[in-house]
PDB file of all heavy atoms in Angstrom:
ATOM      1  N   ILE A  58     146.226-144.403-183.259  1.00  0.00           N
ATOM      2  CA  ILE A  58     146.910-145.552-183.844  1.00  0.00           C
ATOM      3  C   ILE A  58     148.124-145.844-182.977  1.00  0.00           C
ATOM      4  O   ILE A  58     148.917-144.952-182.673  1.00  0.00           O
ATOM      5  CB  ILE A  58     147.323-145.326-185.305  1.00  0.00           C
ATOM      6  CG1 ILE A  58     146.092-145.243-186.184  1.00  0.00           C
ATOM      7  CG2 ILE A  58     148.251-146.452-185.782  1.00  0.00           C
ATOM      8  CD1 ILE A  58     146.328-145.243-187.661  1.00  0.00           C
ATOM      9  N   VAL A  59     148.235-147.098-182.548  1.00  0.00           N
ATOM     10  CA  VAL A  59     149.373-147.568-181.756  1.00  0.00           C
ATOM     11  C   VAL A  59     149.949-148.766-182.491  1.00  0.00           C
ATOM     12  O   VAL A  59     149.209-149.645-182.934  1.00  0.00           O
ATOM     13  CB  VAL A  59     148.928-147.966-180.322  1.00  0.00           C
ATOM     14  CG1 VAL A  59     150.088-148.561-179.545  1.00  0.00           C
ATOM     15  CG2 VAL A  59     148.341-146.774-179.598  1.00  0.00           C
ATOM     16  N   THR A  60     151.284-148.798-182.644  1.00  0.00           N
ATOM     17  CA  THR A  60     151.922-149.942-183.300  1.00  0.00           C
ATOM     18  C   THR A  60     152.859-150.648-182.330  1.00  0.00           C
ATOM     19  O   THR A  60     153.532-150.022-181.511  1.00  0.00           O
ATOM     20  CB  THR A  60     152.710-149.520-184.555  1.00  0.00           C
ATOM     21  OG1 THR A  60     153.692-148.541-184.198  1.00  0.00           O
ATOM     22  CG2 THR A  60     151.797-148.956-185.622  1.00  0.00           C
ATOM     23  N   LEU A  61     152.874-151.968-182.436  1.00  0.00           N
ATOM     24  CA  LEU A  61     153.714-152.829-181.620  1.00  0.00           C
ATOM     25  C   LEU A  61     154.461-153.772-182.550  1.00  0.00           C
ATOM     26  O   LEU A  61     153.876-154.298-183.502  1.00  0.00           O
ATOM     27  CB  LEU A  61     152.861-153.659-180.655  1.00  0.00           C
ATOM     28  CG  LEU A  61     151.897-152.906-179.751  1.00  0.00           C
ATOM     29  CD1 LEU A  61     150.895-153.867-179.132  1.00  0.00           C
ATOM     30  CD2 LEU A  61     152.656-152.170-178.682  1.00  0.00           C
ATOM     31  N   ASP A  62     155.740-153.989-182.313  1.00  0.00           N
ATOM     32  CA  ASP A  62     156.503-154.981-183.063  1.00  0.00           C
ATOM     33  C   ASP A  62     156.645-156.232-182.219  1.00  0.00           C
ATOM     34  O   ASP A  62     156.878-156.151-181.009  1.00  0.00           O
ATOM     35  CB  ASP A  62     157.893-154.461-183.426  1.00  0.00           C
ATOM     36  CG  ASP A  62     157.876-153.536-184.628  1.00  0.00           C
ATOM     37  OD1 ASP A  62     156.808-153.393-185.265  1.00  0.00           O
ATOM     38  OD2 ASP A  62     158.926-152.939-184.930  1.00  0.00           O
ATOM     39  N   LYS A  63     156.522-157.392-182.874  1.00  0.00           N
ATOM     40  CA  LYS A  63     156.694-158.658-182.161  1.00  0.00           C
ATOM     41  C   LYS A  63     158.193-158.939-182.060  1.00  0.00           C
ATOM     42  O   LYS A  63     158.882-159.010-183.065  1.00  0.00           O
ATOM     43  CB  LYS A  63     155.992-159.788-182.908  1.00  0.00           C
ATOM     44  CG  LYS A  63     155.897-161.062-182.084  1.00  0.00           C
ATOM     45  CD  LYS A  63     155.375-162.265-182.840  1.00  0.00           C
ATOM     46  CE  LYS A  63     154.033-162.084-183.447  1.00  0.00           C
ATOM     47  NZ  LYS A  63     153.566-163.291-184.142  1.00  0.00           N
ATOM     48  N   VAL A  64     158.689-159.073-180.839  1.00  0.00           N
ATOM     49  CA  VAL A  64     160.099-159.354-180.611  1.00  0.00           C
ATOM     50  C   VAL A  64     160.321-160.766-180.076  1.00  0.00           C
ATOM     51  O   VAL A  64     161.454-161.247-180.056  1.00  0.00           O
ATOM     52  CB  VAL A  64     160.755-158.304-179.673  1.00  0.00           C
ATOM     53  CG1 VAL A  64     160.814-156.951-180.351  1.00  0.00           C
ATOM     54  CG2 VAL A  64     160.039-158.204-178.344  1.00  0.00           C
ATOM     55  N   GLN A  65     159.253-161.409-179.629  1.00  0.00           N
ATOM     56  CA  GLN A  65     159.300-162.789-179.160  1.00  0.00           C
ATOM     57  C   GLN A  65     158.053-163.495-179.688  1.00  0.00           C
ATOM     58  O   GLN A  65     157.009-162.873-179.865  1.00  0.00           O
ATOM     59  CB  GLN A  65     159.283-162.853-177.618  1.00  0.00           C
ATOM     60  CG  GLN A  65     160.512-162.288-176.953  1.00  0.00           C
ATOM     61  CD  GLN A  65     161.731-163.139-177.195  1.00  0.00           C
ATOM     62  OE1 GLN A  65     161.663-164.355-177.217  1.00  0.00           O
ATOM     63  NE2 GLN A  65     162.870-162.482-177.387  1.00  0.00           N
ATOM     64  N   PRO A  66     158.147-164.796-179.955  1.00  0.00           N
ATOM     65  CA  PRO A  66     156.947-165.509-180.416  1.00  0.00           C
ATOM     66  C   PRO A  66     155.860-165.515-179.344  1.00  0.00           C
ATOM     67  O   PRO A  66     156.144-165.483-178.151  1.00  0.00           O
ATOM     68  CB  PRO A  66     157.450-166.923-180.700  1.00  0.00           C
ATOM     69  CG  PRO A  66     158.854-166.998-180.245  1.00  0.00           C
ATOM     70  CD  PRO A  66     159.322-165.645-179.854  1.00  0.00           C
ATOM     71  N   LEU A  67     154.632-165.544-179.812  1.00  0.00           N
ATOM     72  CA  LEU A  67     153.469-165.636-178.924  1.00  0.00           C
ATOM     73  C   LEU A  67     152.742-166.938-179.211  1.00  0.00           C
ATOM     74  O   LEU A  67     152.718-167.392-180.357  1.00  0.00           O
ATOM     75  CB  LEU A  67     152.507-164.471-179.182  1.00  0.00           C
ATOM     76  CG  LEU A  67     152.904-163.127-178.604  1.00  0.00           C
ATOM     77  CD1 LEU A  67     152.039-162.018-179.190  1.00  0.00           C
ATOM     78  CD2 LEU A  67     152.761-163.145-177.098  1.00  0.00           C
ATOM     79  N   PRO A  68     152.129-167.536-178.214  1.00  0.00           N
ATOM     80  CA  PRO A  68     151.361-168.767-178.449  1.00  0.00           C
ATOM     81  C   PRO A  68     150.198-168.499-179.412  1.00  0.00           C
ATOM     82  O   PRO A  68     149.614-167.418-179.408  1.00  0.00           O
ATOM     83  CB  PRO A  68     150.839-169.154-177.067  1.00  0.00           C
ATOM     84  CG  PRO A  68     151.553-168.306-176.085  1.00  0.00           C
ATOM     85  CD  PRO A  68     152.123-167.134-176.812  1.00  0.00           C
ATOM     86  N   ASP A  69     149.876-169.504-180.240  1.00  0.00           N
ATOM     87  CA  ASP A  69     148.722-169.394-181.124  1.00  0.00           C
ATOM     88  C   ASP A  69     147.475-169.118-180.306  1.00  0.00           C
ATOM     89  O   ASP A  69     147.270-169.705-179.246  1.00  0.00           O
ATOM     90  CB  ASP A  69     148.508-170.688-181.922  1.00  0.00           C
ATOM     91  CG  ASP A  69     149.403-170.761-183.150  1.00  0.00           C
ATOM     92  OD1 ASP A  69     149.942-169.712-183.550  1.00  0.00           O
ATOM     93  OD2 ASP A  69     149.547-171.862-183.708  1.00  0.00           O
ATOM     94  N   GLY A  70     146.647-168.209-180.803  1.00  0.00           N
ATOM     95  CA  GLY A  70     145.421-167.863-180.095  1.00  0.00           C
ATOM     96  C   GLY A  70     145.575-166.687-179.152  1.00  0.00           C
ATOM     97  O   GLY A  70     144.624-166.337-178.450  1.00  0.00           O
ATOM     98  N   SER A  71     146.738-166.052-179.125  1.00  0.00           N
ATOM     99  CA  SER A  71     146.938-164.879-178.268  1.00  0.00           C
ATOM    100  C   SER A  71     146.194-163.686-178.848  1.00  0.00           C
ATOM    101  O   SER A  71     146.012-163.571-180.061  1.00  0.00           O
ATOM    102  CB  SER A  71     148.426-164.540-178.154  1.00  0.00           C
ATOM    103  OG  SER A  71     149.131-165.573-177.508  1.00  0.00           O
ATOM    104  N   VAL A  72     145.773-162.797-177.961  1.00  0.00           N
ATOM    105  CA  VAL A  72     145.078-161.583-178.383  1.00  0.00           C
ATOM    106  C   VAL A  72     145.673-160.374-177.667  1.00  0.00           C
ATOM    107  O   VAL A  72     146.298-160.501-176.617  1.00  0.00           O
ATOM    108  CB  VAL A  72     143.555-161.638-178.106  1.00  0.00           C
ATOM    109  CG1 VAL A  72     142.874-162.710-178.927  1.00  0.00           C
ATOM    110  CG2 VAL A  72     143.276-161.816-176.636  1.00  0.00           C
ATOM    111  N   VAL A  73     145.457-159.217-178.270  1.00  0.00           N
ATOM    112  CA  VAL A  73     145.840-157.946-177.664  1.00  0.00           C
ATOM    113  C   VAL A  73     144.548-157.205-177.363  1.00  0.00           C
ATOM    114  O   VAL A  73     143.710-157.030-178.246  1.00  0.00           O
ATOM    115  CB  VAL A  73     146.734-157.126-178.611  1.00  0.00           C
ATOM    116  CG1 VAL A  73     147.045-155.765-178.021  1.00  0.00           C
ATOM    117  CG2 VAL A  73     148.018-157.867-178.921  1.00  0.00           C
ATOM    118  N   LYS A  74     144.385-156.811-176.104  1.00  0.00           N
ATOM    119  CA  LYS A  74     143.212-156.039-175.687  1.00  0.00           C
ATOM    120  C   LYS A  74     143.680-154.630-175.334  1.00  0.00           C
ATOM    121  O   LYS A  74     144.667-154.467-174.616  1.00  0.00           O
ATOM    122  CB  LYS A  74     142.529-156.680-174.482  1.00  0.00           C
ATOM    123  CG  LYS A  74     141.907-158.025-174.802  1.00  0.00           C
ATOM    124  CD  LYS A  74     141.173-158.581-173.614  1.00  0.00           C
ATOM    125  CE  LYS A  74     140.518-159.920-173.979  1.00  0.00           C
ATOM    126  NZ  LYS A  74     139.716-160.435-172.868  1.00  0.00           N
ATOM    127  N   VAL A  75     142.954-153.644-175.842  1.00  0.00           N
ATOM    128  CA  VAL A  75     143.359-152.253-175.661  1.00  0.00           C
ATOM    129  C   VAL A  75     142.206-151.437-175.085  1.00  0.00           C
ATOM    130  O   VAL A  75     141.056-151.624-175.476  1.00  0.00           O
ATOM    131  CB  VAL A  75     143.776-151.622-177.011  1.00  0.00           C
ATOM    132  CG1 VAL A  75     144.393-150.253-176.802  1.00  0.00           C
ATOM    133  CG2 VAL A  75     144.723-152.512-177.774  1.00  0.00           C
ATOM    134  N   GLU A  76     142.541-150.544-174.176  1.00  0.00           N
ATOM    135  CA  GLU A  76     141.608-149.548-173.656  1.00  0.00           C
ATOM    136  C   GLU A  76     142.174-148.180-174.003  1.00  0.00           C
ATOM    137  O   GLU A  76     143.232-147.798-173.520  1.00  0.00           O
ATOM    138  CB  GLU A  76     141.462-149.657-172.140  1.00  0.00           C
ATOM    139  CG  GLU A  76     140.690-150.847-171.677  1.00  0.00           C
ATOM    140  CD  GLU A  76     140.443-150.828-170.169  1.00  0.00           C
ATOM    141  OE1 GLU A  76     140.752-149.810-169.500  1.00  0.00           O
ATOM    142  OE2 GLU A  76     139.948-151.842-169.664  1.00  0.00           O
ATOM    143  N   PHE A  77     141.456-147.453-174.881  1.00  0.00           N
ATOM    144  CA  PHE A  77     141.834-146.097-175.250  1.00  0.00           C
ATOM    145  C   PHE A  77     141.008-145.131-174.408  1.00  0.00           C
ATOM    146  O   PHE A  77     139.786-145.284-174.316  1.00  0.00           O
ATOM    147  CB  PHE A  77     141.508-145.823-176.726  1.00  0.00           C
ATOM    148  CG  PHE A  77     142.253-146.664-177.718  1.00  0.00           C
ATOM    149  CD1 PHE A  77     141.668-147.795-178.269  1.00  0.00           C
ATOM    150  CD2 PHE A  77     143.529-146.307-178.128  1.00  0.00           C
ATOM    151  CE1 PHE A  77     142.338-148.562-179.204  1.00  0.00           C
ATOM    152  CE2 PHE A  77     144.208-147.073-179.069  1.00  0.00           C
ATOM    153  CZ  PHE A  77     143.621-148.195-179.612  1.00  0.00           C
ATOM    154  N   GLU A  78     141.654-144.150-173.805  1.00  0.00           N
ATOM    155  CA  GLU A  78     140.908-143.127-173.076  1.00  0.00           C
ATOM    156  C   GLU A  78     139.992-142.406-174.067  1.00  0.00           C
ATOM    157  O   GLU A  78     140.407-142.064-175.170  1.00  0.00           O
ATOM    158  CB  GLU A  78     141.860-142.125-172.433  1.00  0.00           C
ATOM    159  CG  GLU A  78     141.172-141.052-171.644  1.00  0.00           C
ATOM    160  CD  GLU A  78     142.134-140.067-170.990  1.00  0.00           C
ATOM    161  OE1 GLU A  78     143.347-140.306-170.963  1.00  0.00           O
ATOM    162  OE2 GLU A  78     141.637-139.038-170.509  1.00  0.00           O
ATOM    163  N   ASN A  79     138.760-142.200-173.681  1.00  0.00           N
ATOM    164  CA  ASN A  79     137.793-141.533-174.547  1.00  0.00           C
ATOM    165  C   ASN A  79     137.931-140.021-174.372  1.00  0.00           C
ATOM    166  O   ASN A  79     137.596-139.504-173.313  1.00  0.00           O
ATOM    167  CB  ASN A  79     136.378-141.992-174.199  1.00  0.00           C
ATOM    168  CG  ASN A  79     135.355-141.500-175.173  1.00  0.00           C
ATOM    169  OD1 ASN A  79     135.592-140.576-175.943  1.00  0.00           O
ATOM    170  ND2 ASN A  79     134.181-142.113-175.136  1.00  0.00           N
ATOM    171  N   PRO A  80     138.446-139.301-175.393  1.00  0.00           N
ATOM    172  CA  PRO A  80     138.612-137.850-175.250  1.00  0.00           C
ATOM    173  C   PRO A  80     137.298-137.115-174.981  1.00  0.00           C
ATOM    174  O   PRO A  80     137.299-136.043-174.389  1.00  0.00           O
ATOM    175  CB  PRO A  80     139.198-137.417-176.592  1.00  0.00           C
ATOM    176  CG  PRO A  80     139.838-138.644-177.142  1.00  0.00           C
ATOM    177  CD  PRO A  80     138.985-139.787-176.664  1.00  0.00           C
ATOM    178  N   ALA A  81     136.174-137.695-175.375  1.00  0.00           N
ATOM    179  CA  ALA A  81     134.868-137.077-175.131  1.00  0.00           C
ATOM    180  C   ALA A  81     134.364-137.381-173.725  1.00  0.00           C
ATOM    181  O   ALA A  81     133.303-136.902-173.327  1.00  0.00           O
ATOM    182  CB  ALA A  81     133.854-137.557-176.165  1.00  0.00           C
ATOM    183  N   GLY A  82     135.105-138.182-172.962  1.00  0.00           N
ATOM    184  CA  GLY A  82     134.695-138.563-171.618  1.00  0.00           C
ATOM    185  C   GLY A  82     133.943-139.877-171.640  1.00  0.00           C
ATOM    186  O   GLY A  82     133.687-140.462-172.690  1.00  0.00           O
ATOM    187  N   GLY A  83     133.619-140.376-170.479  1.00  0.00           N
ATOM    188  CA  GLY A  83     132.877-141.631-170.387  1.00  0.00           C
ATOM    189  C   GLY A  83     133.785-142.841-170.395  1.00  0.00           C
ATOM    190  O   GLY A  83     134.982-142.754-170.122  1.00  0.00           O
ATOM    191  N   ASP A  84     133.194-143.985-170.708  1.00  0.00           N
ATOM    192  CA  ASP A  84     133.918-145.253-170.687  1.00  0.00           C
ATOM    193  C   ASP A  84     135.037-145.270-171.723  1.00  0.00           C
ATOM    194  O   ASP A  84     134.909-144.651-172.793  1.00  0.00           O
ATOM    195  CB  ASP A  84     132.961-146.416-170.976  1.00  0.00           C
ATOM    196  CG  ASP A  84     131.935-146.609-169.867  1.00  0.00           C
ATOM    197  OD1 ASP A  84     132.228-146.204-168.723  1.00  0.00           O
ATOM    198  OD2 ASP A  84     130.852-147.144-170.155  1.00  0.00           O
ATOM    199  N   PRO A  85     136.110-146.016-171.439  1.00  0.00           N
ATOM    200  CA  PRO A  85     137.173-146.131-172.437  1.00  0.00           C
ATOM    201  C   PRO A  85     136.672-146.862-173.684  1.00  0.00           C
ATOM    202  O   PRO A  85     135.708-147.627-173.625  1.00  0.00           O
ATOM    203  CB  PRO A  85     138.265-146.942-171.729  1.00  0.00           C
ATOM    204  CG  PRO A  85     137.704-147.404-170.447  1.00  0.00           C
ATOM    205  CD  PRO A  85     136.386-146.750-170.217  1.00  0.00           C
ATOM    206  N   LEU A  86     137.344-146.620-174.777  1.00  0.00           N
ATOM    207  CA  LEU A  86     137.030-147.298-176.034  1.00  0.00           C
ATOM    208  C   LEU A  86     137.822-148.597-176.051  1.00  0.00           C
ATOM    209  O   LEU A  86     139.035-148.597-175.804  1.00  0.00           O
ATOM    210  CB  LEU A  86     137.410-146.409-177.217  1.00  0.00           C
ATOM    211  CG  LEU A  86     136.781-145.021-177.182  1.00  0.00           C
ATOM    212  CD1 LEU A  86     137.441-144.097-178.180  1.00  0.00           C
ATOM    213  CD2 LEU A  86     135.293-145.121-177.429  1.00  0.00           C
ATOM    214  N   LEU A  87     137.164-149.709-176.333  1.00  0.00           N
ATOM    215  CA  LEU A  87     137.788-151.022-176.249  1.00  0.00           C
ATOM    216  C   LEU A  87     138.051-151.594-177.635  1.00  0.00           C
ATOM    217  O   LEU A  87     137.263-151.387-178.561  1.00  0.00           O
ATOM    218  CB  LEU A  87     136.903-151.976-175.456  1.00  0.00           C
ATOM    219  CG  LEU A  87     136.505-151.507-174.054  1.00  0.00           C
ATOM    220  CD1 LEU A  87     135.550-152.495-173.410  1.00  0.00           C
ATOM    221  CD2 LEU A  87     137.731-151.292-173.196  1.00  0.00           C
ATOM    222  N   LEU A  88     139.149-152.325-177.743  1.00  0.00           N
ATOM    223  CA  LEU A  88     139.522-152.978-178.995  1.00  0.00           C
ATOM    224  C   LEU A  88     140.197-154.292-178.649  1.00  0.00           C
ATOM    225  O   LEU A  88     140.962-154.371-177.678  1.00  0.00           O
ATOM    226  CB  LEU A  88     140.491-152.085-179.780  1.00  0.00           C
ATOM    227  CG  LEU A  88     141.046-152.631-181.074  1.00  0.00           C
ATOM    228  CD1 LEU A  88     139.966-152.681-182.149  1.00  0.00           C
ATOM    229  CD2 LEU A  88     142.206-151.771-181.554  1.00  0.00           C
ATOM    230  N   GLU A  89     139.933-155.325-179.420  1.00  0.00           N
ATOM    231  CA  GLU A  89     140.601-156.616-179.247  1.00  0.00           C
ATOM    232  C   GLU A  89     141.049-157.106-180.611  1.00  0.00           C
ATOM    233  O   GLU A  89     140.275-157.099-181.565  1.00  0.00           O
ATOM    234  CB  GLU A  89     139.645-157.631-178.617  1.00  0.00           C
ATOM    235  CG  GLU A  89     140.310-158.956-178.301  1.00  0.00           C
ATOM    236  CD  GLU A  89     139.404-159.889-177.532  1.00  0.00           C
ATOM    237  OE1 GLU A  89     138.719-159.439-176.589  1.00  0.00           O
ATOM    238  OE2 GLU A  89     139.396-161.084-177.872  1.00  0.00           O
ATOM    239  N   ARG A  90     142.327-157.511-180.712  1.00  0.00           N
ATOM    240  CA  ARG A  90     142.889-158.011-181.964  1.00  0.00           C
ATOM    241  C   ARG A  90     143.611-159.327-181.715  1.00  0.00           C
ATOM    242  O   ARG A  90     144.383-159.446-180.765  1.00  0.00           O
ATOM    243  CB  ARG A  90     143.918-157.031-182.543  1.00  0.00           C
ATOM    244  CG  ARG A  90     143.351-155.784-183.115  1.00  0.00           C
ATOM    245  CD  ARG A  90     142.805-156.042-184.513  1.00  0.00           C
ATOM    246  NE  ARG A  90     142.305-154.834-185.079  1.00  0.00           N
ATOM    247  CZ  ARG A  90     141.030-154.478-185.108  1.00  0.00           C
ATOM    248  NH1 ARG A  90     140.125-155.242-184.581  1.00  0.00           N
ATOM    249  NH2 ARG A  90     140.660-153.350-185.656  1.00  0.00           N
TER     250      ARG A  90
END
């Protein structure tokens, strides 16, 4: 779990893309919010 606070406005339609290192190895785990 990673938390981010918004300190500046973002344009509508912005997304956050995350790559988590996979502890089991292999490709990173991807998330988009």
Side-chain angles (χ1 to χ4, degrees):
I58 292 189
V59 175
T60 57
L61 306 165
D62 280 353
K63 192 188 302 181
V64 293
Q65 293 291 322
L67 283 167
D69 278 344
S71 296
V72 295
V73 176
K74 293 184 178 184
V75 189
E76 287 186 8
F77 297 98
E78 181 179 349
N79 188 343
D84 293 335
L86 305 167
L87 305 176
L88 177 71
E89 185 173 317
R90 288 280 182 261

